Amino acid sequence: MSEDSASAAVSVDAGAVGGVPVLRVGGEIDMGTCDVVRHALLPWLDGASGGVVVDLSGVTFLASSGLELLIEAARRADRGGVRLVLVAGHRAVLRPLQATNLDAVLAPHPDLDGAVAAARTATGATEPAPDVPGPA
């Protein structure tokens, strides 16, 4: 798969919800697209603090390479003192997480609101901040 077709098969968009940085991922995360997500996700985590959300609600397929990337991201976030919170409320993402018992480790939330609330507890914030662009 060429880089152009990989980019077309997956999308990554950084922003914020209630002052919490959110990285939205959509499409397929597999061997052909994993590097596109990696090149957005890992530097984004490096620039973060407190709690962040990776929203996988737009992911339609999650291969083992995507699971490996989530483990890598969780480790990097942990090393940086960042709480990584996932949104995964549908079968395409939940089933691979459950089959590998990663759901117990990554504790995905079924919706964005719950994930943002969990991430906010990591920052110690009590009031939502205005939405601003997240770390690029």
Side-chain angles (χ1 to χ4, degrees):
M1 178 179 291
S2 73
E3 189 172 324
D4 288 341
S5 58
S7 296
V10 69
S11 63
V12 183
D13 180 46
V17 173
V20 173
V22 175
L23 191 74
R24 290 182 173 91
V25 182
E28 301 175 1
I29 304 176
D30 58 22
M31 269 182 64
T33 62
C34 200
D35 280 344
V36 173
V37 179
R38 177 178 280 107
H39 287 113
L41 175 59
L42 298 182
W44 179 77
L45 282 173
D46 289 341
S49 62
V52 298
V53 173
V54 176
D55 183 355
L56 302 175
S57 59
V59 172
T60 57
F61 179 74
L62 181 63
S64 61
S65 56
L67 293 171
E68 289 175 30
L69 176 57
L70 292 176
I71 293 166
E72 180 182 357
R75 287 180 178 155
R76 181 164 297 185
D78 189 49
R79 282 192 308 268
V82 174
R83 178 163 184 213
L84 177 66
V85 182
L86 298 181
V87 176
H90 62 290
R91 184 174 174 80
V93 176
L94 280 177
R95 186 66 191 123
L97 290 174
Q98 292 166 341
T100 57
N101 290 323
L102 285 174
D103 61 323
V105 175
L106 299 174
H109 290 263
D111 58 52
L112 183 60
D113 290 340
V116 167
R120 289 180 58 66
T121 63
T123 65
T126 55
E127 291 296 317
D131 290 345
V132 294

